[in-house]
């Protein structure tokens, strides 16, 4: 049995070192997937997520984190306001898409730098 008929074979090697931005991006996407796993099916008033909470006024908020620190998405702003649980799931998916496209690399780099700076003390 010839393997060439069973698979599409290539002469390729795995890179020896990956880019730090790629590693941060993948770590953040994994964290988003974990938050999405805590989302209920349908509309519910409770969500099992460490990033999501509901205010006394009924608004939902997402505070995305890198490690234990909240991400500063814009200067002085670290939460995303949502209308309901469905909107929370949609915004988490948007975050995942932006991260996979590399559009959050600067934000993730800033958070990673802040975390690293605390280790030198």
């Amino acid at each position: 049995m010839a393997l060439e008929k069973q698979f599409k074979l290539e002469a390729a090697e795995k890179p020896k070192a990956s880019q730090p931005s790629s590693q941060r991006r993948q770590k953040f996407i994994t964290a988003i997937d974990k938050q999405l796993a805590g989302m209920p099916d349908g509309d519910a008033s409770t969500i099992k997520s460490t990033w999501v909470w509901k205010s006394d006024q009924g608004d939902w908020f997402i505070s995305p984190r890198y490690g234990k620190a909240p991400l500063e998405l814009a200067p002085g702003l670290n939460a995303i306001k949502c209308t309901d649980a469905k909107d929370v799931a949609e915004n988490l998916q948007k975050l995942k898409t932006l991260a996979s496209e590399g559009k959050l690399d600067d934000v993730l780099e800033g958070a990673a730098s802040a975390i690293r700076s605390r280790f030198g003390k």
Side-chain angles (χ1 to χ4, degrees):
M1 174 183 338
L3 290 177
E4 292 87 5
K5 293 180 182 178
Q6 298 292 325
F7 302 103
K8 183 179 178 183
L9 301 177
E10 291 283 333
E13 286 188 40
K14 182 179 176 182
K16 300 208 184 314
S18 62
Q19 297 291 330
S21 61
S22 170
Q23 290 175 333
R24 282 190 293 274
R25 194 179 307 147
Q26 197 55 44
K27 180 180 178 181
F28 186 65
I29 289 170
T30 301
I32 293 172
D33 286 337
K34 185 177 178 182
Q35 301 305 310
L36 285 169
M39 297 299 299
D41 294 334
D43 192 28
S45 61
T46 59
I47 294 177
K48 296 177 183 172
S49 170
T50 56
W51 292 7
V52 179
W53 76 92
K54 188 174 183 180
S55 72
D56 293 338
Q57 291 78 26
D59 295 322
W60 291 86
F61 292 92
I62 304 170
S63 180
R65 298 177 174 275
Y66 186 78
K68 292 182 180 181
L71 290 178
E72 189 172 9
L73 302 170
L77 304 173
N78 64 351
I80 300 167
K81 187 176 180 180
C82 304
T83 56
D84 56 15
K86 182 181 176 189
D87 194 30
V88 169
E90 290 171 1
N91 282 308
L92 285 171
Q93 285 292 346
K94 284 181 194 176
L95 275 174
K96 185 176 178 179
T97 301
L98 289 172
S100 66
E101 293 172 352
K103 294 181 179 173
L104 294 177
D105 285 351
D106 292 339
V107 173
L108 296 174
E109 169 61 30
S113 295
I115 291 170
R116 281 193 308 273
S117 71
R118 292 191 297 250
F119 283 109
K121 295 181 180 179

